[in-house]
Amino acid sequence: MTQPSAPILKVENLAVAYKVRGGEIEAVQNVSFDIHRGDSHGIVGESGCGKSTVAWAIVNFLGANGYVKRGSIKFLGQDLVGKSPEELRRLRGDQIAMVFQDPMQALNPSMRLGDQMKEVLTVHRGISESEAEDRCVDMLQRVYMPDAANVMRRYPHQISGGQQQRVVIAMALLNNPALLIMDEPTTALDVTVEAAVLDLIAELRREFDTAIMYITHNLGVVARVCSQVGVMYAGEMVERASVERIFAQPQHPYTQGLIRCIPTLGEDKASSALYPIPGRVPPPNARPAGCIYAPRCDYAQQRCRDERPALRLLADGVQVRCHFTEEIDPGQWTPPEEVEEMVETVNGQADAATPASTNNGKPILELHDLRKYYPVTGGSLRDVLGLGEKRFVKAVEGATFSVPKGSTLGIVGESGCGKSTLIKTIIGLEDSTSGQARFMSFDITEGLSERNMALIKELQMVFQNPDSTMNPSYTVGQQIGRPMVRFGTVPRSQVRDEVIKLLQSMRLGANYYDRLPRQLSGGEKQRVGIARALASRPDLILCDEPVSALDVSVQAAILNLLLDVQREQNTTMLFIAHDLSVVRFFSDNVAVMYLGQIMEIGPADAIYRPPYHPYTEALLSAVPIPDPTVKQKQIRLEGSVPSAVDPPSGCRFHTRCPRRKLLPDDGAICTRETPPWQEAGDGHRIFCHLPLETLASFDPVVESLATH
Amino acid sequence: MLVKDCMTRHPVVVSPDLSAAEAERIMVENHIRHLPVVEDGKRLIGLITRERLRLKAEDIGSYDVWEITRNLARLKVRSVMIPLKQVWTVTPNRSIERTASLMTEHKIGCLPVVEEGNVVVGIVTQVDLLESFQIMLGLPAKGVRVTVRMSDQPGEFAKLMRVMAEQKWGVMGIGSFPDRRHEGFYFAVLKLVGADEAAVATVLNDIPGQEVVDIRTVV
Amino acid sequence: MTVAPQTIDVPPSPSRWSRAWDNLSLVFASRIATVGLVIVLLWLVLGIVSLFWTPYPPNSSLFTQNLMPNSTNWLGTDHLGRDILSRLMAGTQVVLLKTRLPGENGWVIPGGVAVWGVIGALFFGSVLGLNAGYRGGWWDQIIMQVLDALVAFPAIVLYLVIITAFEQGDLVVVFAITVTGTPGIARLVRSLALDIKTRDYIRAAETRGESPSYIMFREILPNARGPVLVDATLRVGYAIFAIGTLGFLGIGLPPPDPDWGSMVNDARRFIFVFSWGVIPPSVAIASLVIGLNLFADGMREELGRYQK
């Protein structure tokens, strides 16, 4: 309605440098963008691109050795660079608020939440205690905090992570800041909580007219909350455009690459492929002289290597840092031969063997009513003396399924739902409490110490955290060779050759043999981790979130690698992930877990289509989809996951189930009786009281999924 | 419509210790004419306007050139601002009519919007108010703008509305003002969408006791 | 299928030598560590030289008694007219360079009493700490209770008990240092093991069915190396201090070889007649301990930075 007013924040040609021993490193160069009132500007990029550094530069949190080397940061018309620390402090307090990934960074653990929040108002504003109390409660209600007045009297550790993040957001908004900087505010949260927080951010932006700078690596999140997006690569902003433009017509080759390497919800390995970006982000002290992306760019020409492109404004308001953007047509892009080859073979296979026949393969792993309980020791005297009632954390309850040879079972669920415990029990890191579990013909209910070598050899695991998956003291070769020596799969004299062969199949050269883990990037470490798991030629590989700690471009490469391994060796896999798009892409069958209980299990495409369990429905509607045009139903779960020590009676999901009221008596049966397993055909089972017809009548959560 | 619906949130503010020259620069760069002056916690302590910063002949008459520059360089916002006592303010929940009358009555161009404790949450200028009146009259939407004269008897306006409902025309904006020439009559100005000019004229003229005095299509 | 050849900025794989050089350059990166290392090396060199040559025989009274430093005796002479510089140099040997075995034939093993004492403590401390940390449960309870009980005794009382129980001798001092050093190192190793055992590579080893001892000594211990070595360096300093104390009490290393602690003790008796005598051996003890401390501190700082 008004004329375009001056932006709240205008960053021009910002360069931030850190002084290090023997010189300085320019972590950020030539970054320019502006944010208007009520705008939400996303900054995306892989880790180490300088996203957070930009935010820190704005609030002058660069630390003792960082400083703004060039450029200006104008906030409400005033240049922040060169302001006295006192003035900056006042601005930060009154006009700029920050929300970090870890809410505990912003909350004082030894103060009641109410006191912390009130302090914001009483200290500088001279607002009376009781008035401040009212305002804080009001603000907590606005961020949909259940039981707001009560929360005011609690300490930070007494509420869940998602609620902590809400308190931090409420606290940030109390001051009615002109600019809100959010640095990965939802990365540590579960997808259902994340969805609620993102809804909240979008709503508050409209209500308070606050300019939001939103830093994230997740393109799906950007699509959901941002209006403008800036893509950063190796300390530079390479493209800036509206969110619709970025996803519909990415201009910079890097943006195009990023979008190609994420699976969209609904894609599977048979029909599509992921195209990772080759190479890796150059470290700040070894950036190329020309275009910073040239070494990884498919279109790089001599000019790109010699001359650094400037951020150009295209006719339609898109800013891009590329010499040849007009000549690049992403439609003409051809994937590298290797990937192409793979896609063809996979598709070829899919033609030859229909999904049904793969599912009918001989089961390699069979679980029947497997349970894992951990005893909890209370603090009371009775408990210490062993007189108290024995209580258990019911981490896994009644897991029943079988996995056919050569197929992949994906397991999804929020954190704390028992998916990790389940695979730890299968591999033997934990022994099971009751139930049956058979791997081929072996019984695997016992822990590792009871198993014989032949069995141990067949079950191997790929871990989540690339930084702790390798022992820092040994070389790559030694670590991959160890299982070969240990299980005697390869004669000692040939271990080295065999390791090198394995390294090469992981797309790592023989020269990696003598490297130490600290010389490898995250993706390379994860490759070595996979190689180590493969070294004993196991029949079953358990992958515990193997890609969730990696950047998207690397994630695609690792997923492709795992697919390749499976195709060549017909390995069976259990694949845990919290990202539903990745699980859908990667798995043949999917199990959805909630609070230790499998809620739904079946072929991947059946899980993602009605009929589905109400919990699956809620999960699907929470997944951030990297496409701003997709319409997604908005189903949000109330409250947080109940404790596994005392799980709800009847159906474990009944306390949060949004579909319960479809049953008579508002679903009284759900609180009393354990639901039945309902067969929906083709091995698809749903653990719910609602009749199948009702479940099937739900509209699909995501429209595009129905057509798949 | 209330002040909170039309004010500019997060206005550019300055601290009292800023130099007057810098404040002037901020106003020029951001194309604004008023700057609320705030201390810690965004509490309002004054207002500066471009007029306030302008040099007045009687002030500088006795200075020589060097003194003028020196004095200007030393001049702080605090010493040129209109102090809080003399600044009119509004709260976010005041109606825009009252706000407008406050402005016309005192001939002022801008009102800082404050909450309890004089915390600045926004600013309303004459331009903002004019814009919101335009919106209330439905200016941004395309359609037929029609002025109807009717008597001020109860039920007259309802007749008009009933016709609107029958014809399924959407009313985007509405306003009224008394007819100065005919006592007891007034004009209603309506902005209609989804209607055709000729049809509107015939249908409305058919209403007994009402007369279309002006009709135009706005595109 | 996936990735283009990984040829971008791949550093050549390091040889063993270059790795050793990397570690050494770590020392020189810290000024504190460099200063400490120089002091320690100075004493080491003096000690090694003294094995072959001292200005005068350290144990013979060749000069006037209680001389202040002069051109013949650079650090003066003691109450028996022996050259203090020669005795100081020779005193380095028992601390850092040789340990005399009991018996008449005078056999020695290389490595000083302080060094062997700390190596002993390292060995026992690591074994106990690893078992307590990795196995947990009862192992942890019992090991740590026993070690805590040991810590409850003042160190000096332990020394006295051990030395009176056996006899004066280098090996007894080594044993005493080992006993007093073990609990500290065990605690450090235990806390490191508790941390390291949560890492995924330990899970990987377990899923390979590796034995607990393999996991403790091959997987955990190498990664606890840095902090443990720093701690051990500090402990060599403490041990030298302890030897000094024992020497001062007259129950330290047996004569005839000079020992700094007993030098201080001897000079103390004449302190009102000739106060200079206590200074050189005291400074020797202090400087070596400070040198080791500086070195350890600098290393710790650098290792900390390095791990991030």
Side-chain angles (χ1 to χ4, degrees):
Chain A
M1 96 188 198
T2 39
Q3 303 235 322
S5 55
I8 294 263
L9 179 74
K10 189 173 178 67
V11 174
E12 270 177 307
N13 285 325
L14 181 69
V16 179
Y18 287 101
K19 291 196 181 94
V20 293
R21 193 184 296 151
E24 58 176 30
I25 286 177
E26 277 195 28
V28 163
Q29 299 171 319
N30 308 323
V31 167
S32 308
F33 62 97
D34 46 22
I35 311 182
H36 291 262
R37 285 184 179 76
D39 232 359
S40 128
H41 193 289
I43 307 258
V44 287
E46 294 175 272
S47 52
C49 286
K51 305 179 297 254
S52 295
T53 306
V54 173
W56 291 332
I58 293 170
V59 289
N60 195 25
F61 276 169
L62 287 171
N65 60 343
Y67 71 104
V68 172
K69 197 174 176 192
R70 283 188 304 274
S72 70
I73 303 171
K74 281 208 173 130
F75 174 72
L76 285 175
Q78 304 186 45
D79 203 333
L80 297 186
V81 179
K83 274 232 191 289
S84 74
E86 171 58 26
E87 281 172 294
L88 284 170
R89 186 197 58 73
R90 182 185 306 172
L91 270 178
R92 271 206 304 274
D94 291 343
Q95 305 262 41
I96 304 179
M98 270 191 101
V99 175
F100 297 98
Q101 176 173 349
D102 179 8
M104 284 310 283
Q105 269 186 314
L107 296 174
N108 181 342
S110 62
M111 265 174 93
R112 288 177 200 278
L113 291 166
D115 294 340
Q116 297 185 44
M117 291 182 73
K118 278 187 282 185
E119 209 177 62
V120 177
L121 293 173
T122 49
V123 170
H124 279 315
R125 301 240 165 137
I127 290 175
S128 73
E129 190 81 4
S130 59
E131 164 75 23
E133 168 102 28
D134 290 346
R135 280 225 218 169
C136 293
V137 172
D138 186 50
M139 189 57 82
L140 282 178
Q141 276 161 352
R142 272 207 230 172
V143 298
Y144 300 109
M145 177 67 87
D147 198 9
N150 200 352
V151 166
M152 296 277 288
R153 284 193 297 281
R154 295 205 202 165
Y155 287 96
H157 67 268
Q158 292 173 311
I159 58 176
S160 71
Q163 289 178 332
Q164 284 173 357
Q165 197 63 292
R166 277 174 206 222
V167 172
V168 173
I169 293 174
M171 217 152 118
L173 290 172
L174 270 180
N175 250 340
N176 190 15
L179 175 67
L180 182 58
I181 299 174
M182 309 190 107
D183 191 353
E184 306 261 10
T186 60
T187 307
L189 305 177
D190 270 320
V191 44
T192 53
V193 184
E194 173 181 76
V197 172
L198 293 181
D199 289 349
L200 177 70
I201 293 169
E203 193 186 309
L204 295 174
R205 167 164 76 90
R206 283 189 292 272
E207 188 175 336
F208 290 89
D209 238 355
T210 304
I212 296 179
M213 174 172 162
Y214 197 101
I215 298 171
T216 180
H217 67 278
N218 188 331
L219 289 167
V221 170
V222 167
R224 192 175 275 176
V225 293
C226 296
S227 46
Q228 289 276 316
V229 184
V231 180
M232 281 191 74
Y233 177 74
E236 288 193 345
M237 189 160 279
V238 294
E239 180 166 358
R240 218 182 135 235
S242 71
V243 69
E244 292 84 11
R245 279 300 303 259
I246 284 276
F247 286 97
Q249 290 161 285
Q251 292 294 321
H252 196 277
Y254 176 63
T255 321
Q256 295 166 3
L258 267 188
I259 290 174
R260 269 196 293 267
C261 58
I262 39 175
T264 330
L265 189 62
E267 285 180 348
D268 61 26
K269 56 189 171 188
S271 65
S272 56
L274 303 179
Y275 303 104
I277 304 174
R280 57 160 114 162
V281 183
N285 49 5
R287 291 191 184 134
C291 173
I292 231 159
Y293 186 60
R296 301 173 75 187
C297 184
D298 294 329
Y299 307 97
Q301 299 179 22
Q302 194 50 46
R303 185 172 164 210
C304 301
R305 286 175 205 108
D306 298 339
E307 188 188 338
R308 178 145 319 173
L311 196 63
R312 290 186 295 147
L313 184 63
L314 301 187
D316 40 7
V318 177
Q319 284 171 302
V320 65
R321 190 185 292 279
C322 178
H323 288 303
F324 299 108
T325 185
E326 288 89 349
E327 294 158 34
I328 294 173
D329 178 7
Q332 298 291 313
W333 182 78
T334 47
E337 280 170 25
E338 298 164 308
V339 183
E340 192 73 317
E341 238 169 63
M342 194 196 98
V343 175
E344 274 162 22
T345 28
V346 170
N347 286 342
Q349 269 192 345
D351 293 339
T354 56
S357 72
T358 46
N359 272 352
N360 291 337
K362 206 166 172 280
I364 190 168
L365 176 73
E366 283 176 287
L367 303 188
H368 186 73
D369 202 21
L370 190 75
R371 280 158 212 263
K372 173 66 195 170
Y373 292 178
Y374 294 100
V376 249
T377 38
S380 74
L381 185 63
R382 279 164 61 87
D383 289 330
V384 173
L385 294 175
L387 299 172
E389 192 189 344
K390 279 236 164 71
R391 303 202 306 158
F392 296 96
V393 174
K394 293 166 182 167
V396 175
E397 180 84 279
T400 305
F401 58 83
S402 64
V403 184
K405 183 158 176 58
S407 74
T408 305
L409 174 69
I411 305 175
V412 288
E414 291 172 281
S415 57
C417 71
K419 46 189 198 304
S420 286
T421 312
L422 177 62
I423 68 164
K424 276 187 187 158
T425 313
I426 292 171
I427 204 168
L429 286 169
E430 309 276 355
D431 44 4
S432 59
T433 309
S434 72
Q436 288 143 30
R438 297 191 85 72
F439 173 75
M440 301 208 280
S441 55
F442 299 100
D443 175 67
I444 53 163
T445 49
E446 295 295 333
L448 271 167
S449 51
E450 312 290 323
R451 298 186 182 179
N452 68 28
M453 273 313 213
L455 176 56
I456 288 174
K457 170 179 165 300
E458 298 300 343
L459 295 162
Q460 288 296 311
M461 192 159 167
V462 177
F463 298 91
Q464 171 178 10
N465 185 349
D467 293 325
S468 81
T469 193
M470 291 184 68
N471 191 327
S473 302
Y474 296 102
T475 63
V476 167
Q478 285 169 315
Q479 300 202 43
I480 301 177
R482 175 68 196 172
M484 299 182 182
V485 176
R486 172 88 185 137
F487 298 117
T489 45
V490 177
R492 255 169 207 276
S493 54
Q494 291 170 27
V495 166
R496 192 190 165 96
D497 294 339
E498 198 62 27
V499 169
I500 288 173
K501 232 190 266 174
L502 203 50
L503 277 175
Q504 277 159 350
S505 71
M506 294 295 125
R507 315 280 150 185
L508 297 170
N511 54 348
Y512 277 74
Y513 189 91
D514 287 318
R515 296 248 187 106
L516 282 170
R518 64 177 148 87
Q519 296 165 309
L520 307 183
S521 69
E524 287 165 349
K525 285 183 203 164
Q526 209 61 336
R527 280 163 206 266
V528 175
I530 295 170
R532 186 180 57 195
L534 290 173
S536 66
R537 297 185 194 136
D539 279 331
L540 177 64
I541 297 184
L542 301 111
C543 306
D544 186 359
E545 307 242 13
V547 295
S548 56
L550 302 175
D551 279 319
V552 283
S553 67
V554 184
Q555 169 180 324
I558 298 292
L559 286 176
N560 283 349
L561 185 64
L562 283 171
L563 282 179
D564 207 30
V565 165
Q566 184 170 37
R567 185 166 49 82
E568 270 171 22
Q569 311 190 359
N570 199 24
T571 318
T572 317
M573 290 194 192
L574 285 191
F575 186 89
I576 294 190
H578 62 269
D579 185 335
L580 276 85
S581 320
V582 169
V583 169
R584 169 77 173 97
F585 175 79
F586 195 76
S587 315
D588 302 304
N589 294 298
V590 176
V592 181
M593 280 186 88
Y594 179 77
L595 210 58
Q597 174 80 55
I598 294 178
M599 288 294 174
E600 182 174 7
I601 185 167
D605 56 336
I607 297 280
Y608 289 71
R609 262 200 328 247
Y612 33 45
H613 192 277
Y615 179 60
T616 316
E617 189 186 18
L619 274 185
L620 285 173
S621 90
V623 188
I625 297 179
D627 183 355
T629 56
V630 164
K631 288 199 188 71
Q632 209 171 355
K633 248 201 299 185
Q634 202 172 348
I635 299 167
R636 300 288 178 256
L637 297 181
E638 303 268 313
S640 49
V641 184
S643 154
V645 178
D646 233 346
S649 57
C651 173
R652 291 191 169 194
F653 187 52
H654 81 251
T655 50
R656 303 171 75 195
C657 183
R659 296 289 187 184
R660 218 177 102 194
K661 43 189 183 303
L662 294 178
L663 281 167
D665 284 346
D666 266 358
I669 188 174
C670 301
T671 61
R672 287 195 315 267
E673 285 172 36
T674 314
W677 276 109
Q678 305 193 56
E679 297 284 341
D682 204 14
H684 183 193
R685 290 179 296 148
I686 302 173
F687 193 66
C688 188
H689 283 297
L690 282 165
L692 269 184
E693 301 80 64
T694 320
L695 293 174
S697 68
F698 296 166
D699 293 331
V701 170
V702 183
E703 276 177 7
S704 64
L705 278 183
T707 56
H708 264 280
Chain B
M1 221 177 184
L2 303 178
V3 166
K4 67 179 172 195
D5 301 315
C6 73
M7 68 182 181
T8 303
R9 285 169 200 262
H10 314 296
V12 179
V13 294
V14 290
S15 82
D17 301 317
L18 202 68
S19 79
E22 179 71 11
E24 169 113 50
R25 194 190 57 72
I26 289 173
M27 283 200 263
V28 171
E29 277 187 6
N30 292 290
H31 314 290
I32 47 181
R33 282 171 302 176
H34 312 275
L35 279 176
V37 183
V38 297
E39 56 177 11
D40 258 12
K42 285 194 277 187
R43 275 186 288 177
L44 187 69
I45 56 167
L47 183 73
I48 46 174
T49 61
R50 287 211 187 165
E51 285 75 32
R52 221 39 204 196
L53 291 171
R54 201 159 289 155
L55 290 176
K56 297 188 193 70
E58 65 265 29
D59 288 349
I60 56 172
S62 59
Y63 291 155
D64 71 25
V65 176
W66 304 110
E67 279 175 327
I68 293 174
T69 37
R70 194 171 341 120
N71 275 319
L72 281 182
R74 269 210 309 252
L75 209 55
K76 294 283 182 219
V77 163
R78 191 188 294 280
S79 54
V80 290
M81 70 185 184
I82 309 169
L84 181 62
K85 287 197 293 284
Q86 299 165 26
V87 178
W88 287 94
T89 60
V90 287
T91 62
N93 286 321
R94 186 174 273 231
S95 71
I96 58 170
E97 303 90 276
R98 300 297 309 160
T99 311
S101 78
L102 195 67
M103 282 171 141
T104 47
E105 202 176 309
H106 300 281
K107 296 213 169 7
I108 42 182
C110 123
L111 289 166
V113 184
V114 297
E115 284 182 348
E116 313 83 303
N118 278 331
V119 174
V120 178
V121 295
I123 194 167
V124 190
T125 60
Q126 290 171 344
V127 176
D128 289 330
L129 285 180
L130 275 177
E131 264 178 4
S132 35
F133 286 124
Q134 289 166 20
I135 289 167
M136 286 168 86
L137 288 174
L139 182 73
K142 292 169 186 169
V144 179
R145 181 188 187 275
V146 58
T147 312
V148 182
R149 183 168 62 190
M150 58 180 80
S151 80
D152 59 359
Q153 298 304 312
E156 279 296 318
F157 195 73
K159 283 196 229 164
L160 185 62
M161 285 298 105
R162 217 170 295 131
V163 175
M164 295 290 152
E166 278 165 16
Q167 300 290 335
K168 295 199 169 58
W169 290 331
V171 181
M172 283 308 295
I174 196 161
S176 68
F177 58 97
D179 186 345
R180 288 184 193 167
R181 286 180 220 119
H182 303 82
E183 191 72 16
F185 280 83
Y186 69 99
F187 294 112
V189 185
L190 300 165
K191 184 71 164 283
L192 306 178
V193 289
D196 165 63
E197 187 175 325
V200 171
T202 41
V203 171
L204 292 191
N205 271 327
D206 286 350
I207 304 174
Q210 297 193 3
E211 181 192 351
V212 174
V213 293
D214 176 81
I215 185 159
R216 56 189 75 195
T217 304
V218 187
V219 284
Chain C
M1 31 99 247
T2 57
V3 171
Q6 301 272 333
T7 46
I8 305 163
D9 62 78
V10 170
S13 70
S15 69
R16 237 159 242 289
W17 280 112
S18 72
R19 237 182 266 165
W21 176 248
D22 276 356
N23 289 339
L24 206 62
S25 66
L26 208 65
V27 176
F28 296 115
S30 155
R31 200 167 295 166
I32 299 176
T34 317
V35 170
L37 186 66
V38 166
I39 297 175
V40 174
L41 281 180
L42 184 77
W43 281 113
L44 266 180
V45 169
L46 279 178
I48 292 169
V49 168
S50 77
L51 288 173
F52 309 103
W53 175 84
T54 48
Y56 307 97
N59 287 332
S60 35
S61 317
L62 299 170
F63 305 96
T64 325
Q65 296 159 0
N66 295 345
L67 281 182
M68 287 298 282
N70 56 58
S71 57
T72 358
N73 309 107
W74 289 2
L75 290 178
T77 58
D78 68 359
H79 65 286
L80 295 177
R82 297 174 292 195
D83 181 48
I84 293 183
L85 178 62
S86 307
R87 287 180 67 75
L88 270 189
M89 286 171 67
T92 322
Q93 294 174 12
V94 275
V95 177
L96 294 175
L97 294 172
K98 67 171 190 192
T99 301
R100 292 158 297 174
L101 295 178
E104 297 306 309
N105 37 23
W107 283 349
V108 296
I109 47 173
V113 171
V115 176
W116 278 111
V118 171
I119 289 176
L122 260 184
F123 176 76
F124 289 109
S126 302
V127 170
L128 293 173
L130 282 172
N131 277 294
Y134 177 66
R135 292 179 195 257
W138 285 109
W139 283 85
D140 192 16
Q141 288 290 331
I142 292 170
I143 291 174
M144 291 327 282
Q145 296 294 347
V146 169
L147 291 180
D148 281 349
L150 211 54
V151 174
F153 287 102
I156 195 77
V157 175
L158 271 182
Y159 287 137
L160 289 176
V161 168
I162 292 167
I163 289 166
T164 43
F166 300 96
E167 261 177 22
Q168 233 180 345
D170 286 9
L171 283 186
V172 177
V173 177
V174 168
F175 180 63
I177 294 170
T178 301
V179 170
T180 48
T182 300
I185 290 184
R187 252 190 223 173
L188 176 70
V189 172
R190 173 180 175 269
S191 68
L192 289 166
L194 281 177
D195 175 24
I196 294 170
K197 82 168 179 182
T198 62
R199 308 282 165 86
D200 285 343
Y201 52 83
I202 304 298
R203 294 289 89 64
E206 284 169 356
T207 56
R208 285 201 298 270
E210 301 282 8
S211 66
S213 61
Y214 179 91
I215 292 177
M216 287 190 286
F217 292 100
R218 299 296 301 278
E219 298 277 350
I220 297 180
L221 194 56
N223 296 307
R225 191 178 45 191
V228 170
L229 286 184
V230 169
D231 191 64
T233 316
L234 278 176
R235 270 171 205 284
V236 173
Y238 301 152
I240 291 166
F241 221 82
I243 295 170
T245 313
L246 292 175
F248 184 78
L249 293 175
I251 53 170
L253 302 170
D257 285 6
D259 147 42
W260 294 344
S262 38
M263 283 169 76
V264 179
N265 190 25
D266 290 343
R268 174 192 58 94
R269 286 182 272 155
F270 301 90
I271 195 159
F272 295 110
V273 188
F274 180 64
S275 52
W276 167 252
V278 292
I279 292 174
S282 310
V283 169
I285 294 174
S287 66
L288 185 50
V289 172
I290 289 174
L292 283 163
N293 272 339
L294 290 177
F295 179 62
D297 265 2
M299 286 300 286
R300 170 158 44 205
E301 207 171 284
E302 285 306 307
L303 281 174
R305 190 176 318 182
Y306 192 58
Q307 277 162 357
K308 276 169 212 158

